[in-house]
Amino acid sequence: MLSFEQKQSIIESFPELMKKEISLKRLNYHFEESLYEKTIVVEKLHPNGNGFVYVGDLLKYEKLANDKGLVNIRDFDEKSLREIIQDSIDYLSEETDTPIEETWVSRDGTILTLVHDQWNWDIYHQNNLEESFGTREAAMNYLQEEGFKLKK
């Protein structure tokens, strides 16, 4: 496990991040050039080595991220830490004009569309919004519980 100082050094090697001290000697690192309201890339880096990196809904991290899109970096090595920080910066600096769409079908033939458009995973029946979720996993769980399967 990297020490607090090692993590801080790695994080500060990204010139686009701005350090801000918060309570209990913790640090946040902001990406002021973010295209979105969210600007914190590294959140609550603590002297004990704990901290979080924001990854939003990046599918690469869906098994690691909590419901707020944060990944705990306590046990990350240098390579993994650099990679996740760069992925976060890229995520916050990319405009996603083309939503991801999936078609889900029930046994009786009802068709729903799962759409990822920037921050949310939305479920539509025709043009009507039925549900909205913060993660793909939550949306998929809902669809599966309701008897829908991904159309291949």
Side-chain angles (χ1 to χ4, degrees):
M1 179 175 85
L2 298 169
S3 70
F4 171 75
E5 292 77 16
Q6 289 169 318
K7 287 179 183 171
Q8 191 175 6
S9 176
I10 292 166
I11 296 163
E12 290 178 5
S13 72
F14 289 85
E16 56 267 76
L17 298 180
M18 178 186 297
K19 177 171 71 172
K20 293 188 181 181
E21 294 181 16
I22 58 173
S23 63
L24 304 173
K25 299 182 183 179
R26 296 175 301 170
L27 303 172
N28 283 349
Y29 288 86
H30 292 255
F31 175 53
E32 299 295 334
E33 301 297 316
S34 174
L35 296 177
Y36 309 98
E37 278 187 44
K38 180 71 174 173
T39 64
I40 301 174
V41 169
V42 180
E43 190 170 308
K44 299 176 185 157
L45 181 65
H46 192 278
N48 69 9
N50 203 23
F52 301 89
V53 172
Y54 178 74
V55 295
D57 283 329
L58 286 174
L59 295 178
K60 178 178 180 179
Y61 299 104
E62 74 178 333
K63 293 193 188 305
L64 297 174
N66 66 18
D67 60 347
K68 294 181 182 177
L70 297 169
V71 173
N72 190 307
I73 58 168
R74 178 188 264 301
D75 298 323
F76 275 44
D77 61 19
E78 180 177 353
K79 181 180 183 242
S80 299
L81 183 57
R82 287 186 184 283
E83 183 177 344
I84 196 169
I85 291 170
Q86 188 61 60
D87 288 343
S88 178
I89 292 169
D90 292 346
Y91 179 74
L92 292 171
S93 60
E94 291 179 0
E95 289 190 54
T96 51
D97 292 334
T98 308
I100 297 169
E101 291 189 17
E102 297 176 347
T103 302
W104 289 71
V105 182
S106 70
R107 288 187 185 124
D108 67 3
T110 302
I111 296 173
L112 296 180
T113 306
L114 177 61
V115 179
H116 181 240
D117 191 6
Q118 292 187 355
W119 301 105
N120 296 318
W121 290 89
D122 299 324
I123 298 174
Y124 289 91
H125 179 256
Q126 297 173 353
N127 291 328
N128 299 317
L129 178 64
E130 295 294 321
E131 294 286 339
S132 187
F133 298 90
T135 66
R136 183 173 192 268
E137 181 178 29
M140 288 175 51
N141 286 342
Y142 170 81
L143 287 163
Q144 290 167 349
E145 287 172 5
E146 294 296 318
F148 286 81
K149 293 189 177 191
L150 183 60
K151 184 177 179 183
K152 295 180 181 185

